[in-house]
Amino acid sequence: MKSTKTLVLLAFSILMVLSSCDDDSNNKVENNTTNNINPNLPSPEDCEISSTEVLYNKDLLRLYTVVEVTVRNGEGTPMPFHSVRIGIYHDMNGDPIVENEEAVSDEFGIASFEVSSVYLGIATVTAQVSTSSDFISGETLDIPHSYEIPFDYSVSIIPIESTFFHDHGEYNLRFTVTDELYSITEAELNLTNEIENSTISDSSFITDLNGRFNVDYSTPVAGIQNFITQLEGMEDSKESVVDLSGPVISGSIANMQHYPLGFYSARVGVFTLNINSEGEIDPEDPVGTELVSESTCPCPGPAEYELILPITPVDTENVVEENISRGFYVVMVYDDLNDNHILDEGEYLLGVNTSTGILMFEAPGSSSAENPGWSIVNGWTSDRQVLDWSIFSDSVNVNITRSPVYHPTVRAVFDTGDTEYNMAFMVVPSSAEVIDDPVYTDTDDIENLVSQGIIFHDEQTTVADYEFTLTDVDAVVSSQLIDQMSFNYTDDSGNLINVVRVLPFLYTDDDDSGNYTEGDEISAISGYGSETDAFFLWVVDHDDNLLFMNPSQIYFHRGFMPIARSARAEIYSTFVDGSDYNYEIRPWLGRELNSTFTATRDGTTIAEGSISNGLTPTSIAVVPSSGCSGCADISIGDKIVITGELSPGELSVEDFFVVRFRSIQ
């Protein structure tokens, strides 16, 4: 029985030995079998290849690192006293230097290799590990993963100061040189640049204790600059890039129009100002080349912007005086309808700064320029003043005052005392004289206009203070009919504006049709109350030069636009000055009142004549006694109504946010 047990054990032992010697890879050793890890053999999958940081060695004059291969068994335990060797592959211009290609792992299982390079690039490390302390007696195992060493150093460039002239910019640049861990200190470095006509203060520099050196650099063109650096001892050079700014202006874009704006994509840019031979803005084409631009959105709060100017603009000769090339430029906001960063024909000008934000560029010719390069001035005429760049360059603010007004949300206020309101908006045939003529207050005149017009919006409500979205004229009325009804109006600065008159009115829906039809009674028209009349216009088109007329104020713009005028007032006091009657009136009747009037009491006319305020803003209206009938009877509390032509200065463009209806009396 005992001999039988011995035979079984012997057979089992022979089977185990045969199993452990079964090796399909010939010279490779398997360190584990299924469900069986041999802790005495390295596991290639668990071995690790790494390196220390790549540093610049001032003694060796090259980049240096230590490659570390950590030998582990299948349980992840470091294994000392195993031989390791490495191989290096690369795409560099030359071979890295390996001090020792074989090493034995230490007590922590780490085998170390010193590797250095005078070339820049990626070196790929592979490794093999032996099952013993050498590759002769042990078996060779390939570690299946590799490791990449980036032989490189860093050069950062920061502009410290800049000064600009008409043909170049001068920059003081700070270079900082570092390896993966430290600043590279007290190292010699060569520096070159390939930008045409640029200059560097020197070609060789030594870094300080912070790894820095400063360079004075001159270039005619701002933007991306490429510098070539080469550390002492290195065979390869390194390219570093810095983006140098030209002169900078900044500010904010604010919306000064209170209704929903009709622009698509507001963009702010610097444009050449076209000056004609008389030294004035070209009325047909006020702006030209766009130098720089960026998107902006004052929606609704102000939007900040910053624009970088070229050191020298391309077109510096839009004005030439005394052998000096001089150009004027404006910061302008426009509606970039197709988002192509270019002002195209048909795109709207929304706002411009013409007071504290006009840019001037001077380049000397045969005569020296007083202000060479960029300046900020308060005008383009000969009496302009140069403003302090340090104060004004960061506050070139632009107000949007010319945005189109399309499909606005409108507030309608009814002062008629009714409980049901039938409201219609129509375009009617008219002429330029309507803007200066007295407001239509006679029902027959209104009905005559309505009989010739086209309704584009009709709405009913029982709310006395009502908001609605107004339909655009061209959404209902064809362009042919708009063209037939439109007329040209020339403002007091000679700007041409093509408009259609819009007539809002209330009517009694006598036939209960739900719309205005012939025979319905017109009960009220639009206005701003007892003191002010309003004409509503649909502006089809206008000269671009219109933007430069009082750009800080709301003025003619495309789409819906009300024009208000002070047409009625109340007498607060009277006195005689020589042969003239003087009346204190409230509210003031315009800025440049020089017209005719009637005075009424309880709806009855008591006097009529000519009236003026001396062409100055004042509450005192002057009526010559020789040109007035019944003026001696005018007393406090009487009303006056302007009946004659109003000067353009009396008209004011209003924000379109409320339409007030008053009854026809």
Side-chain angles (χ1 to χ4, degrees):
M1 195 68 172
K2 183 176 180 182
S3 61
T4 303
K5 290 183 179 178
T6 302
L7 269 176
V8 173
L9 288 172
L10 179 60
F12 181 77
S13 298
I14 293 172
L15 180 62
M16 289 296 293
V17 171
L18 290 173
S19 175
S20 64
C21 293
D22 184 14
D23 186 356
D24 292 334
S25 60
N26 297 323
N27 63 337
K28 299 296 188 295
V29 177
E30 294 291 338
N31 70 340
N32 59 68
T33 58
T34 304
N35 299 323
N36 183 30
I37 296 175
N38 189 341
N40 298 318
L41 294 175
S43 170
E45 290 79 6
D46 294 296
C47 294
E48 180 184 359
I49 308 174
S50 63
S51 74
T52 60
E53 288 83 358
V54 176
L55 307 179
Y56 177 73
N57 189 301
K58 289 190 294 182
D59 297 325
L60 299 176
L61 297 180
R62 56 180 181 251
L63 297 170
Y64 172 88
T65 186
V66 176
V67 174
E68 297 178 339
V69 179
T70 304
V71 181
R72 296 188 179 94
N73 63 17
E75 296 175 341
T77 304
M79 300 189 71
F81 313 122
H82 282 268
S83 189
V84 178
R85 62 186 174 205
I86 62 171
I88 294 184
Y89 306 89
H90 61 84
D91 58 359
M92 301 187 292
N93 294 325
D95 295 330
I97 301 169
V98 182
E99 297 297 331
N100 54 317
E101 293 185 355
E102 280 190 28
V104 176
S105 58
D106 60 16
E107 58 183 313
F108 302 106
I110 298 174
S112 300
F113 305 84
E114 297 180 1
V115 182
S116 60
S117 177
V118 294
Y119 302 98
L120 302 178
I122 300 295
T124 301
V125 180
T126 61
Q128 294 175 320
V129 60
S130 174
T131 57
S132 68
S133 60
D134 60 66
F135 283 95
I136 298 175
S137 61
E139 300 297 332
T140 300
L141 305 176
D142 288 334
I143 296 176
H145 41 270
S146 60
Y147 179 80
E148 292 184 344
I149 303 173
F151 282 106
D152 200 2
Y153 61 93
S154 298
V155 178
S156 63
I157 310 172
I158 299 176
I160 302 301
E161 293 179 342
S162 59
T163 305
F164 300 102
F165 302 88
H166 72 280
D167 58 353
H168 71 282
E170 294 182 358
Y171 301 85
N172 182 259
L173 307 177
R174 175 182 294 164
F175 287 69
T176 303
V177 187
T178 59
D179 53 31
E180 280 195 318
L181 199 57
Y182 304 109
S183 298
I184 299 178
T185 63
E186 299 178 312
E188 188 173 348
L189 182 143
N190 292 327
L191 181 68
T192 57
N193 174 275
E194 297 179 354
I195 301 295
E196 187 176 359
N197 297 323
S198 65
T199 58
I200 302 175
S201 56
D202 204 342
S203 61
S204 180
F205 300 87
I206 296 179
T207 59
D208 61 16
L209 295 178
N210 294 310
R212 299 173 177 173
F213 63 92
N214 281 42
V215 174
D216 290 326
Y217 176 65
S218 172
T219 178
V221 181
I224 299 298
Q225 313 285 316
N226 297 303
F227 290 91
I228 310 300
T229 58
Q230 187 169 13
L231 270 173
E232 182 183 7
M234 298 297 295
E235 293 292 333
D236 286 344
S237 59
K238 179 178 181 62
E239 183 176 299
S240 301
V241 173
V242 63
D243 188 359
L244 295 183
S245 170
V248 175
I249 60 170
S250 59
S252 63
I253 309 299
N255 168 28
M256 300 303 291
Q257 297 171 257
H258 301 295
Y259 35 71
L261 300 186
F263 59 78
Y264 165 73
S265 177
R267 193 175 301 282
V268 59
V270 175
F271 287 81
T272 305
L273 192 60
N274 288 336
I275 308 294
N276 60 27
S277 58
E278 286 76 33
E280 298 296 332
I281 296 178
D282 184 344
E284 295 183 359
D285 187 17
V287 294
T289 308
E290 180 178 343
L291 303 184
V292 288
S293 70
E294 73 170 33
S295 295
T296 183
C297 181
C299 40
E304 303 299 319
Y305 78 90
E306 180 179 275
L307 295 175
I308 300 175
L309 303 172
I311 295 175
T312 303
V314 175
D315 53 343
T316 61
E317 298 184 0
N318 58 353
V319 177
V320 178
E321 299 175 8
E322 301 173 353
N323 299 314
I324 298 172
S325 295
R326 181 180 293 116
F328 293 97
Y329 306 82
V330 289
V331 178
M332 186 178 71
V333 181
Y334 65 99
D335 193 2
D336 191 10
L337 297 175
N338 57 5
D339 279 331
N340 66 347
H341 290 252
I342 297 174
L343 176 62
D344 299 306
E345 186 176 355
E347 293 181 337
Y348 310 136
L349 310 185
L350 306 178
V352 69
N353 186 322
T354 61
S355 55
T356 60
I358 296 178
L359 300 171
M360 180 178 72
F361 185 89
E362 287 188 344
S366 57
S367 301
S368 60
E370 184 177 353
N371 301 283
W374 289 103
S375 302
I376 294 181
V377 294
N378 64 350
W380 56 85
T381 56
S382 58
D383 60 349
R384 63 185 173 272
Q385 294 180 334
V386 177
L387 306 177
D388 188 331
W389 183 276
S390 63
I391 295 176
F392 289 91
S393 63
D394 61 356
S395 58
V396 185
N397 304 324
V398 181
N399 293 330
I400 290 181
T401 57
R402 302 293 193 272
S403 173
V405 179
Y406 298 131
H407 46 269
T409 298
V410 176
R411 176 177 166 227
V413 179
F414 308 101
D415 296 334
T416 60
D418 298 323
T419 57
E420 182 177 330
Y421 309 98
N422 303 291
M423 173 174 49
F425 288 75
M426 70 164 28
V427 290
V428 294
S430 191
S431 63
E433 287 73 22
V434 73
I435 298 178
D436 295 325
D437 282 349
V439 67
Y440 287 91
T441 55
D442 186 273
T443 304
D444 292 337
D445 289 333
I446 293 294
E447 290 180 345
N448 179 52
L449 269 180
V450 169
S451 67
Q452 305 174 62
I454 301 173
I455 291 178
F456 63 90
H457 188 101
D458 204 321
E459 188 150 342
Q460 292 75 42
T461 182
T462 58
V463 180
D465 195 330
Y466 177 65
E467 280 194 356
F468 64 99
T469 300
L470 184 59
T471 305
D472 288 344
V473 170
D474 58 5
V476 176
V477 185
S478 69
S479 58
Q480 291 83 359
L481 289 175
I482 290 176
D483 186 58
Q484 292 174 18
M485 291 190 176
S486 68
F487 61 90
N488 290 329
Y489 175 73
T490 303
D491 72 359
D492 56 345
S493 297
N495 299 297
L496 190 65
I497 306 153
N498 184 247
V499 300
V500 178
R501 184 179 178 187
V502 174
L503 180 65
F505 62 90
L506 297 183
Y507 62 91
T508 57
D509 189 13
D510 296 330
D511 57 2
D512 294 324
S513 64
N515 298 99
Y516 176 80
T517 55
E518 186 177 357
D520 289 344
E521 181 182 356
I522 298 173
S523 59
I525 60 173
S526 63
Y528 283 125
S530 61
E531 297 87 12
T532 310
D533 288 326
F535 291 97
F536 287 92
L537 303 176
W538 172 266
V539 179
V540 181
D541 198 8
H542 59 69
D543 290 341
D544 281 341
N545 189 45
L546 206 65
L547 176 69
F548 296 87
M549 304 296 106
N550 300 318
S552 62
Q553 300 177 3
I554 298 171
Y555 198 50
F556 282 88
H557 51 258
R558 292 171 178 83
F560 288 109
M561 192 192 72
I563 294 181
R565 69 176 189 181
S566 301
R568 296 171 178 78
E570 183 176 340
I571 305 295
Y572 271 71
S573 66
T574 67
F575 60 95
V576 177
D577 182 9
S579 60
D580 296 332
Y581 294 100
N582 286 256
Y583 304 111
E584 181 187 1
I585 55 178
R586 299 180 187 175
W588 298 1
L589 291 184
R591 293 179 295 134
E592 300 175 5
L593 178 61
N594 191 6
S595 188
T596 58
F597 80 102
T598 60
T600 64
R601 182 181 300 153
D602 299 326
T604 301
T605 299
I606 60 172
E608 58 184 8
S610 59
I611 190 169
S612 171
N613 65 355
L615 303 183
T616 58
T618 176
S619 63
I620 303 301
V622 179
V623 177
S625 58
S626 59
C628 181
S629 172
C631 284
D633 294 331
I634 295 176
S635 61
I636 296 173
D638 290 339
K639 304 292 191 299
I640 64 172
V641 178
I642 303 303
T643 57
E645 182 175 335
L646 296 169
S647 63
E650 281 222 53
L651 306 175
S652 62
V653 175
E654 300 294 322
D655 259 347
F656 197 104
F657 61 92
V658 61
V659 181
R660 188 177 297 274
F661 291 91
R662 57 183 176 80
S663 299
I664 298 176
Q665 298 176 354

CSV table of all heavy atoms in Angstrom, one decimal, residues 462-488:
chain,number,residue,atom,x,y,z
A,462,THR,N,-60.3,96.9,-25.9
A,462,THR,CA,-61.2,97.6,-24.9
A,462,THR,C,-60.3,98.1,-23.8
A,462,THR,O,-60.8,98.6,-22.8
A,462,THR,CB,-62.2,96.6,-24.3
A,462,THR,OG1,-61.6,95.5,-23.7
A,462,THR,CG2,-63.2,96.2,-25.4
A,463,VAL,N,-59.0,98.0,-24.0
A,463,VAL,CA,-58.0,98.5,-22.9
A,463,VAL,C,-57.5,99.8,-23.3
A,463,VAL,O,-57.0,100.1,-24.4
A,463,VAL,CB,-56.8,97.5,-22.8
A,463,VAL,CG1,-55.8,98.0,-21.8
A,463,VAL,CG2,-57.3,96.1,-22.5
A,464,ALA,N,-57.6,100.8,-22.4
A,464,ALA,CA,-57.3,102.2,-22.7
A,464,ALA,C,-55.8,102.4,-22.8
A,464,ALA,O,-55.3,103.5,-23.3
A,464,ALA,CB,-57.9,103.1,-21.7
A,465,ASP,N,-55.0,101.5,-22.2
A,465,ASP,CA,-53.5,101.6,-22.3
A,465,ASP,C,-53.1,100.2,-22.8
A,465,ASP,O,-53.0,99.3,-22.0
A,465,ASP,CB,-52.9,101.9,-20.9
A,465,ASP,CG,-51.5,102.4,-21.0
A,465,ASP,OD1,-50.8,101.9,-21.9
A,465,ASP,OD2,-51.1,103.2,-20.2
A,466,TYR,N,-52.8,100.1,-24.0
A,466,TYR,CA,-52.7,98.8,-24.7
A,466,TYR,C,-51.4,98.6,-25.5
A,466,TYR,O,-50.9,99.6,-26.2
A,466,TYR,CB,-53.9,98.7,-25.7
A,466,TYR,CG,-54.0,97.5,-26.5
A,466,TYR,CD1,-54.2,96.2,-26.0
A,466,TYR,CD2,-53.9,97.6,-27.9
A,466,TYR,CE1,-54.3,95.1,-26.8
A,466,TYR,CE2,-54.0,96.5,-28.7
A,466,TYR,CZ,-54.2,95.2,-28.1
A,466,TYR,OH,-54.3,94.1,-28.9
A,467,GLU,N,-50.8,97.5,-25.4
A,467,GLU,CA,-49.5,97.2,-26.1
A,467,GLU,C,-49.8,96.2,-27.2
A,467,GLU,O,-50.6,95.2,-27.0
A,467,GLU,CB,-48.5,96.6,-25.1
A,467,GLU,CG,-47.7,97.7,-24.4
A,467,GLU,CD,-46.5,97.2,-23.7
A,467,GLU,OE1,-46.2,95.9,-23.8
A,467,GLU,OE2,-45.7,98.0,-23.1
A,468,PHE,N,-49.2,96.4,-28.3
A,468,PHE,CA,-49.3,95.5,-29.5
A,468,PHE,C,-48.1,95.6,-30.3
A,468,PHE,O,-47.3,96.5,-30.2
A,468,PHE,CB,-50.6,95.8,-30.3
A,468,PHE,CG,-50.6,97.2,-30.9
A,468,PHE,CD1,-50.2,97.3,-32.3
A,468,PHE,CD2,-50.8,98.3,-30.2
A,468,PHE,CE1,-50.2,98.5,-32.9
A,468,PHE,CE2,-50.8,99.6,-30.8
A,468,PHE,CZ,-50.5,99.7,-32.1
A,469,THR,N,-47.9,94.6,-31.2
A,469,THR,CA,-46.8,94.6,-32.2
A,469,THR,C,-47.4,95.2,-33.5
A,469,THR,O,-48.3,94.6,-34.1
A,469,THR,CB,-46.3,93.2,-32.4
A,469,THR,OG1,-45.8,92.7,-31.2
A,469,THR,CG2,-45.1,93.3,-33.4
A,470,LEU,N,-46.7,96.3,-34.0
A,470,LEU,CA,-47.2,96.9,-35.2
A,470,LEU,C,-46.6,96.2,-36.4
A,470,LEU,O,-45.4,95.9,-36.5
A,470,LEU,CB,-46.7,98.4,-35.1
A,470,LEU,CG,-47.2,99.3,-36.3
A,470,LEU,CD1,-48.7,99.3,-36.4
A,470,LEU,CD2,-46.6,100.7,-36.1
A,471,THR,N,-47.5,96.0,-37.4
A,471,THR,CA,-47.1,95.3,-38.6
A,471,THR,C,-46.2,96.3,-39.4
A,471,THR,O,-46.5,97.5,-39.5
A,471,THR,CB,-48.3,94.9,-39.4
A,471,THR,OG1,-49.1,94.1,-38.6
A,471,THR,CG2,-47.9,94.2,-40.7
A,472,ASP,N,-45.2,95.8,-40.1
A,472,ASP,CA,-44.3,96.7,-40.9
A,472,ASP,C,-45.1,97.1,-42.2
A,472,ASP,O,-45.9,96.3,-42.7
A,472,ASP,CB,-43.1,96.0,-41.3
A,472,ASP,CG,-42.1,95.8,-40.2
A,472,ASP,OD1,-42.3,96.6,-39.2
A,472,ASP,OD2,-41.1,95.1,-40.3
A,473,VAL,N,-44.9,98.3,-42.7
A,473,VAL,CA,-45.5,98.7,-43.9
A,473,VAL,C,-45.3,97.8,-45.1
A,473,VAL,O,-46.2,97.4,-45.8
A,473,VAL,CB,-45.1,100.2,-44.2
A,473,VAL,CG1,-45.6,100.6,-45.6
A,473,VAL,CG2,-45.6,101.1,-43.2
A,474,ASP,N,-44.0,97.4,-45.3
A,474,ASP,CA,-43.7,96.6,-46.4
A,474,ASP,C,-44.1,95.2,-46.3
A,474,ASP,O,-43.9,94.4,-47.3
A,474,ASP,CB,-42.2,96.8,-46.8
A,474,ASP,CG,-41.3,96.4,-45.6
A,474,ASP,OD1,-41.8,95.9,-44.6
A,474,ASP,OD2,-40.0,96.5,-45.8
A,475,ALA,N,-44.6,94.8,-45.2
A,475,ALA,CA,-45.1,93.4,-45.0
A,475,ALA,C,-46.5,93.3,-45.7
A,475,ALA,O,-47.0,92.2,-46.0
A,475,ALA,CB,-45.2,93.0,-43.6
A,476,VAL,N,-47.2,94.5,-45.9
A,476,VAL,CA,-48.5,94.5,-46.5
A,476,VAL,C,-48.6,95.2,-47.8
A,476,VAL,O,-49.2,94.8,-48.8
A,476,VAL,CB,-49.5,95.1,-45.5
A,476,VAL,CG1,-50.9,95.2,-46.1
A,476,VAL,CG2,-49.5,94.3,-44.2
A,477,VAL,N,-47.9,96.4,-47.8
A,477,VAL,CA,-48.0,97.2,-49.0
A,477,VAL,C,-46.8,96.9,-49.9
A,477,VAL,O,-45.7,96.8,-49.5
A,477,VAL,CB,-47.9,98.7,-48.6
A,477,VAL,CG1,-48.1,99.6,-49.8
A,477,VAL,CG2,-49.0,99.0,-47.5
A,478,SER,N,-47.1,96.7,-51.2
A,478,SER,CA,-46.1,96.4,-52.2
A,478,SER,C,-45.0,97.5,-52.4
A,478,SER,O,-45.3,98.7,-52.1
A,478,SER,CB,-46.7,96.0,-53.5
A,478,SER,OG,-47.2,97.2,-54.1
A,479,SER,N,-43.9,97.1,-52.8
A,479,SER,CA,-42.8,98.1,-53.0
A,479,SER,C,-43.2,99.1,-54.1
A,479,SER,O,-42.8,100.3,-54.0
A,479,SER,CB,-41.5,97.4,-53.4
A,479,SER,OG,-41.7,96.6,-54.6
A,480,GLN,N,-44.0,98.7,-55.1
A,480,GLN,CA,-44.5,99.6,-56.1
A,480,GLN,C,-45.4,100.6,-55.6
A,480,GLN,O,-45.3,101.8,-55.9
A,480,GLN,CB,-45.2,98.8,-57.2
A,480,GLN,CG,-44.3,97.9,-58.1
A,480,GLN,CD,-44.1,96.5,-57.4
A,480,GLN,OE1,-44.5,96.3,-56.3
A,480,GLN,NE2,-43.3,95.7,-58.1
A,481,LEU,N,-46.3,100.2,-54.7
A,481,LEU,CA,-47.2,101.2,-54.1
A,481,LEU,C,-46.5,102.1,-53.1
A,481,LEU,O,-46.8,103.3,-53.0
A,481,LEU,CB,-48.4,100.5,-53.4
A,481,LEU,CG,-49.4,99.8,-54.3
A,481,LEU,CD1,-50.4,99.0,-53.5
A,481,LEU,CD2,-50.1,100.9,-55.2
A,482,ILE,N,-45.5,101.6,-52.4
A,482,ILE,CA,-44.7,102.4,-51.5
A,482,ILE,C,-44.0,103.5,-52.3
A,482,ILE,O,-43.9,104.6,-51.9
A,482,ILE,CB,-43.8,101.5,-50.7
A,482,ILE,CG1,-44.5,100.7,-49.6
A,482,ILE,CG2,-42.7,102.4,-49.9
A,482,ILE,CD1,-43.6,99.7,-48.9
A,483,ASP,N,-43.4,103.1,-53.4
A,483,ASP,CA,-42.7,104.0,-54.3
A,483,ASP,C,-43.6,105.1,-54.8
A,483,ASP,O,-43.2,106.3,-54.9
A,483,ASP,CB,-42.1,103.2,-55.4
A,483,ASP,CG,-41.2,104.1,-56.3
A,483,ASP,OD1,-40.2,104.7,-55.7
A,483,ASP,OD2,-41.4,104.2,-57.5
A,484,GLN,N,-44.9,104.7,-55.1
A,484,GLN,CA,-45.8,105.7,-55.6
A,484,GLN,C,-46.2,106.7,-54.5
A,484,GLN,O,-46.5,107.9,-54.8
A,484,GLN,CB,-47.1,105.0,-56.1
A,484,GLN,CG,-46.9,104.2,-57.4
A,484,GLN,CD,-48.1,103.4,-57.8
A,484,GLN,OE1,-49.2,103.7,-57.4
A,484,GLN,NE2,-47.9,102.4,-58.7
A,485,MET,N,-46.4,106.3,-53.3
A,485,MET,CA,-46.8,107.1,-52.2
A,485,MET,C,-45.7,107.9,-51.5
A,485,MET,O,-45.9,108.8,-50.8
A,485,MET,CB,-47.6,106.3,-51.1
A,485,MET,CG,-48.9,105.8,-51.6
A,485,MET,SD,-49.8,105.1,-50.2
A,485,MET,CE,-51.4,104.7,-51.0
A,486,SER,N,-44.4,107.4,-51.7
A,486,SER,CA,-43.3,108.1,-51.0
A,486,SER,C,-43.0,109.4,-51.6
A,486,SER,O,-43.3,109.8,-52.7
A,486,SER,CB,-42.1,107.1,-51.1
A,486,SER,OG,-41.6,107.1,-52.4
A,487,PHE,N,-42.3,110.2,-50.8
A,487,PHE,CA,-41.9,111.5,-51.2
A,487,PHE,C,-40.5,111.8,-50.6
A,487,PHE,O,-40.1,111.2,-49.6
A,487,PHE,CB,-42.8,112.6,-50.8
A,487,PHE,CG,-43.1,112.8,-49.3
A,487,PHE,CD1,-42.3,113.6,-48.6
A,487,PHE,CD2,-44.1,112.1,-48.7
A,487,PHE,CE1,-42.5,113.8,-47.2
A,487,PHE,CE2,-44.3,112.2,-47.3
A,487,PHE,CZ,-43.5,113.0,-46.6
A,488,ASN,N,-39.7,112.7,-51.2
A,488,ASN,CA,-38.4,113.0,-50.7
A,488,ASN,C,-38.5,114.3,-49.8
A,488,ASN,O,-39.2,115.3,-50.2
A,488,ASN,CB,-37.4,113.3,-51.8
A,488,ASN,CG,-37.1,112.0,-52.6
A,488,ASN,OD1,-37.1,110.9,-52.0
A,488,ASN,ND2,-36.8,112.1,-53.9
